[in-house]
Amino acid sequence: MSRVMEPLTVGRVIGEVIDIFSPSVRMNVTYNSNVRVANGHELMPSMVVSKPRVDIGGDDMRSFYTLIMTDPDAPSPSDPYLREHLHWMVTDIPGTTDASFGREIVGYEGPKPVIGIHRYVFILFKQRGRQTVRGPTSRDHFNTRSFSLDNGLGLPVAAVYFNAQRETAARRR
């Protein structure tokens, strides 16, 4: 197993959210121009209020990608009955650009974990063509696998996740 895939497996992203895949596209997720998302690292909710910059590698600008950000631990990791909660979706992102060049289907909703440590997962899929992806009907009970199947996206080409938990007054200092 590659070093890229191991944290996704240990963090149960592979298995609970997506199936095992071979990463084939570079994706960098950065908040506030200096906080880069790395698998399993903890970010405080106050650091991720605004949508991040998501840089996409890819073949060329004729390839298009769909980006999904989801929380598989909603409303709590011990009882994730809303699994998954969709935080953001952007489609038609041209390769070699960033998500701002795509079409935002579901607006960014910053993490607000109430109880426990939540995983926030960014998943990138390569589309068959432009404007081939239909938006979801709801943020709650979102299912990345079903969405991918319904839209003919196949397996992901990149994924990364971070952890976050509720901030107490003492943790903000």
Side-chain angles (χ1 to χ4, degrees):
M1 182 182 308
S2 76
R3 277 191 284 180
V4 173
M5 300 302 287
E6 189 173 342
L8 293 171
T9 302
V10 171
R12 299 179 335 276
V13 170
I14 290 178
E16 291 183 9
V17 181
I18 55 178
D19 295 320
I20 195 160
F21 68 99
S22 295
S24 58
V25 174
R26 178 189 49 79
M27 175 175 69
N28 292 317
V29 180
T30 311
Y31 281 95
N32 303 321
S33 73
N34 65 351
V35 178
R36 187 164 171 199
V37 173
N39 283 321
H41 288 201
E42 183 174 355
L43 300 178
M44 290 190 227
S46 59
M47 298 167 62
V48 295
V49 172
S50 301
K51 68 176 135 183
R53 177 180 171 97
V54 181
D55 292 304
I56 310 292
D59 307 327
D60 56 44
M61 289 186 69
R62 291 183 304 253
S63 298
F64 294 95
Y65 297 87
T66 292
L67 173 71
I68 293 170
M69 178 187 175
T70 184
D71 173 2
D73 301 315
S76 80
S78 60
D79 185 19
Y81 66 84
L82 295 178
R83 175 174 289 165
E84 303 163 32
H85 181 78
L86 181 63
H87 279 265
W88 194 31
M89 183 181 291
V90 183
T91 65
D92 298 331
I93 306 166
T96 72
T97 67
D98 68 78
S100 69
F101 288 90
R103 197 167 54 116
E104 191 173 68
I105 300 293
V106 176
Y108 182 80
E109 180 182 279
K112 295 180 190 84
V114 177
I115 189 166
I117 299 171
H118 290 239
R119 297 165 291 165
Y120 294 91
V121 187
F122 292 90
I123 307 135
L124 188 69
F125 292 95
K126 186 172 184 177
Q127 297 174 203
R128 291 181 316 229
R130 192 165 188 202
Q131 297 183 348
T132 58
V133 176
R134 295 179 317 280
T137 55
S138 170
R139 284 184 186 263
D140 288 331
H141 305 289
F142 181 79
N143 185 296
T144 299
R145 284 187 184 97
S146 296
F147 183 82
S148 171
L149 186 64
D150 293 346
N151 285 281
L153 295 172
L155 291 173
V157 294
V160 66
Y161 81 101
F162 68 90
N163 295 318
Q165 60 185 311
R166 184 175 175 200
E167 290 181 65
T168 61
R171 286 192 70 201
R172 285 192 204 118
R173 291 185 209 160

